[in-house]
Amino acid sequence: MSSGPYIRQKVQLAQEVILAVSQTLARDLSAEQAFAEMLKWMCDQLGWSAGSFWKLDEASNLLICQMNHTCEPCPAFHAACLRLLLKKGEGLPGKTWESGVPIWIPDVWVDRNFPRIEDAKQDGLRTGFGFPLNAGGKFIGVFEFFSKSVKNPDTELINAFAIVGAALGQFLERRRVELELCEQAALNNYAAEIGSTLNNVDALPVILQTCADLTLRHLDIVACRIWVKQDDSKLFSAQAQAGDAEMLTHPGPSMQIDQLPFDFRSDGNNADGCQNNALRFHYYCAFPLRMDDHKLGAIAVFGTRQPSALTIDVLGRAASTVALFVARKKSEEKLRVSEAKFREFAAVVDECFFISSPRLTEHYYVSPGFLTIWGIPTEEVLSDANAWRTVIHPEHRQRVDDYVDRLVGDTMPEQSEIDYPITRPDGSTAWLSARCFRIDQGDGTWHICGTVRDITERKIAEQRISDFYSTVSHELRTPLTSIKGSLLLLERGKGGELTIRANQLIQIARKECDRLIRLINDMLDMKTIEVGKLQLYRESISPIDLIDETIELIKNLSTEMQIELKTQVNTQRRVFADRDRIIQVLTNLLSNALKFSARNTEVLVKADDADDMVRFSVIDCGPGICEEDQGNLFNLFPNVHTEHEGGKQGTGLGLAISKGIVDEHGGSIGVKSEKGAGAVFWFDLPTTS
């Protein structure tokens, strides 16, 4: 019963400890201030000679003595605490960390796991007690206390300090949340001010300097630096620093680096060669300014303390915001330069460029060429969108209006070019060619862009050519037909008996007359195709019939040249085509094959299925065609040379006419050949639906 008052005294003491701690934590103190007051109170009121707080350094995973308090001089022990770094399980703090519960050592002089034993002996410290500090389930550090007398474990005090540790943990967690909320609010204000301020600036240097100043003002840093790459690979930069701090050559360990295009080296030189004249930074945090995987630059902040995760996050968001504005300004500058060059170009070319709304109801831009082409001031068409229409020849106006009405959305005509005549203010007539296309604006709207050029000279030249063709048709073909008829009569003996030599000369003249007629017919066919007036009389035809009729027409030539014609039809389909025109194509291809084939060889004519078409092929064993000449074969008068051309040249129009006929049928034509390996000329025709 004699121990009763003593027990009640210890319980009361434990309650006082809890009450004192609660009162301390209720005040508006920082964690460091609260810990310092608790160390002093516990040492002074509970009779401990010395006390320390050991904090876990997450970077090294070691315990570091953050603060000390002594009631009596303990210089050796105090110095030992400041120089030691303790691992988990090492010394009183390390064992408390490892166990997670309070630990009482009655006499540290006999404890083998006590690195400061000699220092404790020197200062006369005997009993040690420590309890862990956890916050939010995370280990923070250890409080330890020492007495110069040997004390046995005090259960009530140990339990009281377990409660104290929990209370401290709640205090730290509450302070952490409060600080994070305050920090989050401040950082959000920073991010918002970055965005709102940058919306009101124009020049790129102002953007960079504004962002650097705002970053320094809002964040707990010493300096901020922003770099932006110019197109010429030079650097554009802005800098803000606190007081007289200079950008350092050795900023210390990096918190975050993400493939920056700039060099943060630790060899005494950084990207700008700045000198460390005042303050050495311990941390820097850097982010690239990136837009669509393109590096525009970087932003870096320098400080003496490790930045929080919230700070790093908001800096990342700020970097994205700055990158957006930098990209926009760079794009605007490129657009400004591009537009200036476009206007310079538009001012010197003969064509007129324009950008307008759908159906050309409003014109946003019309180049100076409008005055040259229409003879009307540009200002007039900008103020009156229909000014260009009023001068169109009446008989063409409806056709042009129909074309303009289709300049909307997906209904824009595939053939976006149209020709029409106008009457200029001076009374002269001009032919114009307009070409339009659409440009999407990316926001659901779009504009019509186009060019207009004066084609009056081309129209005059076309009329001259048309007149020439008419002359050829009427003034040459008619007398040639008469000449051919007369030569045939002479050849058949209607003009009297001829000598063998005279008959030979008449045959030569008749063949040359036939060649001239073929040339004239080819020229007329080509002209008809060019002006789009080739008339087709289509019907359903069997490919074998087309091939047989063509071979019948050309078999005399093949016999004369001692070349065998073979056929191979591998399709049951029928084609929808103009019989005479397709026979004309086959005749052209077969004539060329015979012309360039050696005697005693063969030429094969085939018909095969090819998807939804029928493919006709003419295959010879001639000298072949080199690859560089193949793309020119179907042009007018192709400049193609082969090893067997001598004496076998034609009009040079056959393949061009064949292409025009096949194209009008909706098919295609081509060639496959290698030098010295013959040639395969083919064309595809649509089948009967």
Side-chain angles (χ1 to χ4, degrees):
M1 297 296 295
S2 60
S3 62
Y6 175 70
I7 294 175
R8 285 195 299 271
Q9 183 181 3
K10 290 198 296 182
V11 171
Q12 182 179 357
L13 183 61
Q15 291 175 346
E16 289 178 1
V17 170
I18 296 171
L19 178 60
V21 170
S22 299
Q23 290 175 342
T24 301
L25 299 183
R27 295 161 57 193
D28 187 16
L29 300 174
S30 67
E32 289 79 5
Q33 291 172 331
F35 291 173
E37 287 203 10
M38 287 175 54
L39 281 176
K40 183 177 184 304
W41 187 92
M42 292 178 187
C43 289
D44 294 344
Q45 299 300 321
L46 301 181
W48 296 104
S49 300
S52 304
F53 174 66
W54 293 75
K55 185 178 181 180
L56 175 64
D57 180 69
E58 294 183 356
S60 62
N61 201 36
L62 296 173
L63 287 173
I64 301 173
C65 184
Q66 190 176 51
M67 61 182 67
N68 277 304
H69 180 78
T70 58
C71 294
E72 303 175 39
C74 302
F77 195 77
H78 178 74
C81 291
L82 294 180
R83 71 170 179 266
L84 280 179
L85 298 175
L86 299 177
K87 297 183 291 186
K88 180 183 285 191
E90 185 178 12
L92 176 57
K95 289 194 292 183
T96 306
W97 174 17
E98 185 176 49
S99 67
V101 296
I103 291 180
W104 189 290
I105 304 176
D107 190 354
V108 297
W109 290 8
V110 296
D111 192 323
R112 294 183 179 181
N113 184 10
F114 194 77
R116 296 167 287 175
I117 187 170
E118 296 302 327
D119 305 289
K121 288 180 179 180
Q122 185 174 339
D123 290 336
L125 299 176
R126 301 297 297 268
T127 296
F129 167 66
F131 67 91
L133 176 59
N134 297 280
K138 180 180 179 182
F139 175 74
I140 303 298
V142 173
F143 281 95
E144 67 173 5
F145 301 94
F146 294 92
S147 171
K148 289 191 175 183
S149 61
V150 177
K151 295 182 180 182
N152 293 322
D154 188 332
T155 304
E156 285 74 13
L157 197 59
I158 291 174
N159 292 337
F161 276 106
I163 296 174
V164 169
L168 284 172
Q170 293 175 359
F171 167 77
L172 287 177
E173 183 65 15
R174 184 175 68 252
R175 294 294 292 170
R176 182 189 66 80
V177 172
E178 291 173 354
L179 291 174
E180 282 191 0
L181 289 175
C182 292
E183 183 183 14
Q184 184 70 68
L187 292 175
N188 286 340
N189 289 336
Y190 160 70
E193 192 170 350
I194 283 278
S196 62
T197 303
L198 294 183
N199 275 322
N200 298 319
V201 296
D202 292 321
L204 184 57
V206 178
I207 290 177
L208 301 183
Q209 191 58 54
T210 300
C211 183
D213 292 340
L214 288 173
T215 303
L216 182 68
R217 185 191 313 160
H218 285 277
L219 304 185
D220 184 18
I221 59 173
V222 178
C224 174
R225 195 72 181 267
I226 305 175
W227 298 264
V228 170
K229 256 185 179 178
Q230 295 294 80
D231 292 335
D232 57 4
S233 298
K234 294 180 180 178
L235 295 181
F236 225 12
S237 67
Q239 175 177 323
Q241 63 272 332
D244 297 327
E246 297 287 340
M247 295 302 297
L248 298 183
T249 61
H250 189 172
S254 169
M255 285 302 301
Q256 181 165 336
I257 285 289
D258 182 15
Q259 299 178 346
L260 291 174
F262 309 104
D263 186 15
F264 291 93
R265 295 176 292 180
S266 58
D267 59 359
N269 297 295
N270 73 344
D272 299 274
C274 302
Q275 299 301 313
N276 177 9
N277 297 326
L279 178 66
R280 178 167 298 280
F281 301 141
H282 297 294
Y283 296 97
Y284 74 89
C285 181
F287 289 86
L289 304 180
R290 195 188 299 272
M291 180 60 59
D292 297 332
D293 294 329
H294 296 293
K295 293 177 182 176
L296 305 177
I299 179 172
V301 294
F302 301 80
T304 57
R305 294 195 309 174
Q306 177 176 332
S308 68
L310 287 174
T311 300
I312 292 176
D313 176 68
V314 80
L315 274 172
R317 288 190 282 134
S320 298
T321 301
V322 175
L324 178 64
F325 280 96
V326 169
R328 190 185 74 185
K329 291 304 175 184
K330 292 170 76 73
S331 297
E332 288 175 355
E333 178 62 19
K334 288 182 180 179
L335 182 62
R336 186 191 65 77
V337 173
S338 176
E339 182 176 346
K341 290 182 178 179
F342 171 77
R343 290 181 181 274
E344 291 177 4
F345 170 74
V348 298
V349 298
D350 295 333
E351 295 187 13
C352 172
F353 300 89
F354 64 88
I355 303 175
S356 307
S357 64
R359 292 194 176 94
L360 311 187
T361 56
E362 183 180 2
H363 304 299
Y364 309 123
Y365 171 78
V366 178
S367 72
F370 182 81
L371 174 61
T372 304
I373 294 176
W374 267 270
I376 301 174
T378 304
E379 295 77 13
E380 187 171 330
V381 75
L382 289 174
S383 59
D384 179 7
N386 289 315
W388 67 277
R389 274 190 177 98
T390 58
V391 296
I392 298 175
H393 284 196
E395 63 271 23
H396 292 270
R397 196 169 295 161
Q398 185 59 50
R399 180 172 60 89
V400 175
D401 287 344
D402 292 342
Y403 173 83
V404 171
D405 286 341
R406 296 195 298 272
L407 297 180
V408 288
D410 296 334
T411 63
M412 285 187 63
E414 294 181 3
Q415 180 60 36
S416 58
E417 189 166 357
I418 186 172
D419 299 345
Y420 56 88
I422 64 169
T423 301
R424 292 192 176 111
D426 61 4
S428 63
T429 295
W431 273 90
L432 309 182
S433 176
R435 185 174 184 273
C436 298
F437 53 94
R438 62 178 281 177
I439 295 182
D440 291 315
Q441 299 302 298
D443 58 358
T445 63
W446 44 276
H447 293 158
I448 296 294
C449 296
T451 61
V452 182
R453 53 197 174 96
D454 188 336
I455 59 169
T456 304
E457 293 185 2
R458 192 190 80 186
K459 285 291 184 179
I460 293 173
E462 289 177 353
Q463 185 59 45
R464 289 174 179 169
I465 293 174
S466 179
D467 294 342
F468 169 75
Y469 275 107
S470 296
T471 300
V472 168
S473 176
H474 296 93
E475 303 300 329
L476 290 181
R477 190 163 58 175
T478 300
L480 278 173
T481 302
S482 299
I483 293 171
K484 178 181 177 180
S486 299
L487 291 173
L488 281 172
L489 291 174
L490 290 174
E491 189 177 356
R492 294 170 183 172
K494 300 299 182 181
E497 186 175 353
L498 299 174
T499 63
I500 295 175
R501 178 59 180 163
N503 193 52
Q504 290 175 342
L505 292 174
I506 288 174
Q507 288 181 4
I508 293 173
R510 193 255 305 163
K511 289 181 179 179
E512 291 301 312
C513 187
D514 285 340
R515 193 171 73 85
L516 284 173
I517 292 174
R518 285 197 304 274
L519 174 60
I520 293 170
N521 288 336
D522 285 349
M523 292 173 65
L524 293 175
D525 282 345
M526 199 66 243
K527 176 60 180 175
T528 301
I529 291 170
E530 284 182 342
V531 299
K533 294 183 178 180
L534 180 66
Q535 292 185 347
L536 299 178
Y537 302 95
R538 302 192 193 197
E539 57 180 314
S540 177
I541 316 171
S542 171
I544 188 65
D545 292 342
L546 292 171
I547 293 174
D548 287 346
E549 289 185 39
T550 305
I551 289 179
E552 184 65 25
L553 292 173
I554 208 168
K555 68 180 181 180
N556 289 336
L557 178 62
S558 66
T559 301
E560 179 183 335
M561 301 179 68
Q562 299 179 13
I563 297 173
E564 183 180 2
L565 294 177
K566 290 187 175 182
T567 64
Q568 183 179 327
V569 178
N570 303 314
T571 180
Q572 299 298 320
R573 297 176 178 175
R574 298 174 70 85
V575 296
F576 188 61
D578 184 310
R579 179 186 297 269
D580 292 338
R581 289 299 186 180
I582 297 306
I583 289 176
Q584 181 180 356
V585 173
L586 283 169
T587 301
N588 282 335
L589 299 184
L590 275 170
S591 297
N592 284 341
L594 293 173
K595 186 185 305 182
F596 294 106
S597 295
R599 293 180 180 274
N600 300 316
T601 58
E602 63 181 37
V603 172
L604 174 63
V605 187
K606 292 179 60 181
D608 301 281
D609 291 331
D611 295 330
D612 57 346
M613 299 277 203
V614 170
R615 171 162 294 188
F616 293 83
S617 303
V618 176
I619 306 169
D620 64 52
C621 301
I625 305 166
C626 61
E627 185 175 352
E628 55 268 25
D629 284 338
Q630 292 178 24
N632 190 41
L633 281 174
F634 297 95
N635 296 334
L636 287 175
F637 308 109
N639 184 23
V640 178
H641 301 281
T642 68
E643 297 176 356
H644 298 278
E645 284 187 0
K648 296 183 180 181
Q649 295 182 358
T651 65
L653 296 174
L655 290 179
I657 292 172
S658 298
K659 183 180 187 306
I661 292 172
V662 172
D663 288 346
E664 286 294 323
H665 278 82
S668 55
I669 190 169
V671 62
K672 297 178 183 178
S673 181
E674 293 181 8
K675 194 70 174 176
V680 178
F681 282 85
W682 58 267
F683 63 93
D684 295 340
L685 291 178
T687 58
T688 304
S689 57

